[in-house]
Amino acid sequence: MNKIFSDSVIYVGGELFVKIFPFLLLPVLSRALGPEQYGQISLFNTYVSIFFVFIGLNSSAAIIRYEYMQKRYHSADYFFSSVIILSIAFILYIHVLYVFYRHEIIILAALAGYLQCVYTNLVSVSQARKEAKKYLIAQVLNAAMSFFMTLLFLYYFWANYEARVYAIIMGFLLSIFFASWSNRVWLKQVDFRFETFKKTSSQLLLFGVPLIIHNLSFLARSGLDRIMISKYFPGATLGNYSAAFQLSVIITVVLMALNKALTPHLYSQLRNNKIRRSDFNLIFAGYFFLSILITVVAQLLPEKIYNMVAGEEYQDIKRLVIIMVPAFLAQGFYLIMASTCFFYGKNKAISYCTFTGGIVHCVILYFVCKFMNVFCVPWVLFFSNSFVAFLMYITVFRAVLSQDRRGKSEH
C-alpha cells in the first residue's frame, strides 16, 4: 500500500510539474499569437493525437501488459518490434498524405505523432517496472526541452504557431535520444532474430488493432470538438475554446497520471486475486466526492484569475471551464474500469462501448455546433463521457467482476 501511495504521489506530482511548462506557455502563446493563431496550435495537437492512435496502435499499453502476462520474451523485444511497426505505418501514412493531401502542417503532425509513439513506448517500460522516478525524469526533460525551444523559436525565428510545432518535434527527438541512452542496458536485451520479431509483433497487433476504434472513440470525445468548432465558428471562438480547454485539461493530466501509477499495481493485485468488488465500490465513491469538490473549486475561482492566465483578449473562459471540469472528471470512472477489463483481455467489448459512445458524441456534437452556440459543446463531452462510463459498467465491468468472483469460488 505504501508503494502504491508513493508511486501515485510521484506520478501525480510529476505530471503536474510537467504540465507547468505548457501552463506557463499559455499566457505567452495566447498573448503573442492571439486567439486565431492559438487555435491553430490546438488543431495541430488534435491532428497529432489522431496520428498517435493510427500509428501507435496502443503498443505502449501492450508492452506494459506483456511485462506481466508474457514471460517468454523480454519487454525490449516488444519495444523493438513496436518501432518497426510504427515506422512502417508512418511511412505508409506519409506517402498517402503526399499524394492526396500535401499540407505541411498535417505532415508535421504525422511526424510528431510518430515520434511521440516511439518516445511513449520507450518510457513505458519504466511504468511497467514501477520505476516512477525514472519515468518522471524522462517526462520532465521532454516538457522542459519543448518549453525552452518554443521560447527560442518564438522570439528568434517564427512569430506564429509554427514555433510551437517545430519545438514539439525537436523536443521528442531529443527526448528519444536521452531515453535511449538511459535505457541502453535494457535495449541490449533485444533479440534480433526474425522468429522473435514475428511472434512479438503479432502479439502487439492482436492486442492493439482492435483498440483503434476504442482510441478513436476516446479521441472523438476529446479532440473532435475543436475540429468542428473550426468549421462552424470564427477562428477567435476556436482560440477562446482552446484556451479554456488548456486550463481544464489539467484534470485529464491528473487522471492519466493516477491511471499510470495505479495500473501496474492493479494488475499485480488482479493477478494475485487480492482485489474485490467492494474495493472498487470504495474507489468509485471516493472519486465521486473528489469530483464534486474539484468542480466546486473551479466554480468559486474568480473570473479575473482565468483572464489573468489566458489574457484579456479571450472571452468567457470561466463559463467554458466550469463545464469542462466535470466533463473531464467523468473520464475517471471509465479509466478505472477500462484498466481492469484490459487485464482480462476484454479489448473488443471495450471497443464496442467506446465506439457506441463515440458515435453518440459525434452525432450530438454535429447538431450542437450547427444549431447552437459554443457554450453547449462542453455539455456534449460531459454527457458522452458519463454515457460511456455507464455503458462500460453495465455491459463489461460488472460481468468481468462476476466472472472473476465465480473463478475464485471454484478454486
Side-chain angles (χ1 to χ4, degrees):
M1 184 61 70
N2 290 334
K3 176 65 173 174
I4 295 176
F5 178 76
S6 63
D7 280 2
S8 299
V9 171
I10 292 173
Y11 273 103
V12 174
E15 292 287 348
L16 287 174
F17 181 74
V18 166
K19 284 300 174 181
I20 286 177
F21 295 104
F23 188 77
L24 291 174
L25 279 177
L26 175 58
V28 175
L29 292 173
S30 61
R31 287 168 171 81
L33 304 180
E36 291 193 22
Q37 286 277 317
Y38 188 79
Q40 291 298 312
I41 295 176
S42 185
L43 272 180
F44 170 79
N45 290 330
T46 301
Y47 292 136
V48 171
S49 299
I50 293 172
F51 283 112
F52 182 81
V53 170
F54 280 106
I55 296 175
L57 300 175
N58 216 53
S59 50
S60 61
I63 291 172
I64 295 172
R65 181 175 186 266
Y66 289 129
E67 177 75 16
Y68 290 90
M69 301 293 291
Q70 175 64 257
K71 298 301 181 184
R72 183 177 177 182
Y73 301 106
H74 196 274
S75 55
D77 297 329
Y78 289 100
F79 170 72
F80 173 74
S81 298
S82 74
V83 172
I84 300 299
I85 295 170
L86 299 179
S87 301
I88 293 172
F90 171 66
I91 292 171
L92 289 174
Y93 289 134
I94 286 296
H95 275 81
V96 171
L97 289 172
Y98 188 80
V99 173
F100 296 103
Y101 196 75
R102 200 178 302 180
H103 197 289
E104 182 183 8
I105 200 68
I106 302 296
I107 293 176
L108 289 173
L111 175 59
Y114 166 72
L115 294 174
Q116 184 180 1
C117 290
V118 175
Y119 169 73
T120 302
N121 288 4
L122 187 55
V123 300
S124 64
V125 66
S126 298
Q127 180 189 347
R129 295 182 174 182
K130 305 173 187 176
E131 298 171 343
K133 292 181 180 178
K134 189 175 181 180
Y135 177 86
L136 170 61
I137 291 172
Q139 295 289 67
V140 170
L141 283 174
N142 174 255
M145 287 185 290
S146 177
F147 173 80
F148 289 113
M149 281 188 289
T150 298
L151 297 179
L152 177 67
F153 292 162
L154 186 65
Y155 288 104
Y156 292 99
F157 296 100
W158 304 280
N160 55 40
Y161 71 92
E162 290 182 355
R164 180 60 178 161
V165 169
Y166 288 111
I168 290 172
I169 292 172
M170 288 299 299
F172 280 127
L173 280 171
L174 292 174
S175 297
I176 291 170
F177 172 78
F178 286 117
S180 299
W181 181 84
S182 175
N183 290 288
R184 60 192 183 281
V185 176
W186 172 74
L187 288 172
K188 290 179 180 178
Q189 306 298 316
V190 175
D191 182 355
F192 293 101
R193 289 179 300 176
F194 179 76
E195 185 66 24
T196 301
F197 166 74
K198 186 172 71 173
K199 291 289 186 180
T200 53
S201 59
S202 63
Q203 290 176 356
L204 289 172
L205 291 172
L206 285 172
F207 180 87
V209 171
L211 291 174
I212 291 178
I213 296 176
H214 158 76
N215 287 327
L216 279 179
S217 302
F218 192 82
L219 180 62
R221 290 180 280 121
S222 60
L224 184 62
D225 51 355
R226 282 160 286 170
I227 296 177
M228 295 293 289
I229 289 171
S230 70
K231 301 295 183 184
Y232 288 98
F233 297 96
T237 302
L238 173 62
N240 293 332
Y241 185 91
S242 299
F245 185 93
Q246 186 64 38
L247 287 172
S248 307
V249 81
I250 196 69
I251 300 297
T252 301
V253 172
V254 174
L255 290 179
M256 294 301 181
L258 280 171
N259 191 54
K260 287 175 182 178
L262 296 176
T263 296
H265 298 281
L266 176 64
Y267 282 3
S268 295
Q269 296 292 316
L270 290 170
R271 184 179 60 184
N272 297 323
N273 296 324
K274 291 183 178 180
I275 191 166
R276 297 169 295 178
R277 188 169 190 166
S278 58
D279 297 321
F280 283 107
N281 293 335
L282 287 174
I283 292 172
F284 289 142
Y287 182 74
F288 176 75
F289 287 110
L290 178 63
S291 300
I292 293 176
L293 175 62
I294 295 173
T295 303
V296 170
V297 170
Q299 175 70 53
L300 293 177
L301 284 175
E303 190 167 2
K304 289 183 178 179
I305 293 180
Y306 293 100
N307 292 335
M308 180 178 65
V309 175
E312 296 297 333
E313 292 182 77
Y314 296 79
Q315 304 297 319
D316 299 308
I317 297 296
K318 180 179 178 179
R319 188 176 173 184
L320 290 165
V321 167
I322 60 176
I323 309 170
M324 289 182 180
V325 167
F328 284 127
L329 285 167
Q331 293 179 352
F333 297 100
Y334 165 83
L335 289 172
I336 296 169
M337 293 184 285
S339 295
T340 305
C341 295
F342 281 146
F343 179 83
Y344 290 104
K346 301 295 182 180
N347 299 20
K348 290 184 179 179
I350 295 171
S351 295
Y352 293 145
C353 290
T354 52
F355 178 74
T356 303
I359 293 297
V360 170
H361 179 83
C362 291
V363 171
I364 298 176
L365 181 64
Y366 170 77
F367 286 105
V368 166
C369 289
K370 190 173 180 65
F371 299 108
M372 302 178 74
N373 58 56
V374 72
F375 300 106
C376 297
V377 174
W379 285 113
V380 180
L381 181 62
F382 176 78
F383 172 80
S384 59
N385 282 342
S386 302
F387 172 76
V388 170
F390 177 73
L391 187 64
M392 173 78 75
Y393 181 81
I394 62 174
T395 61
V396 186
F397 185 73
R398 188 168 56 178
V400 164
L401 291 185
S402 299
Q403 181 181 358
D404 183 51
R405 186 169 57 181
R406 287 197 299 270
K408 291 177 184 178
S409 63
E410 291 174 1
H411 288 84

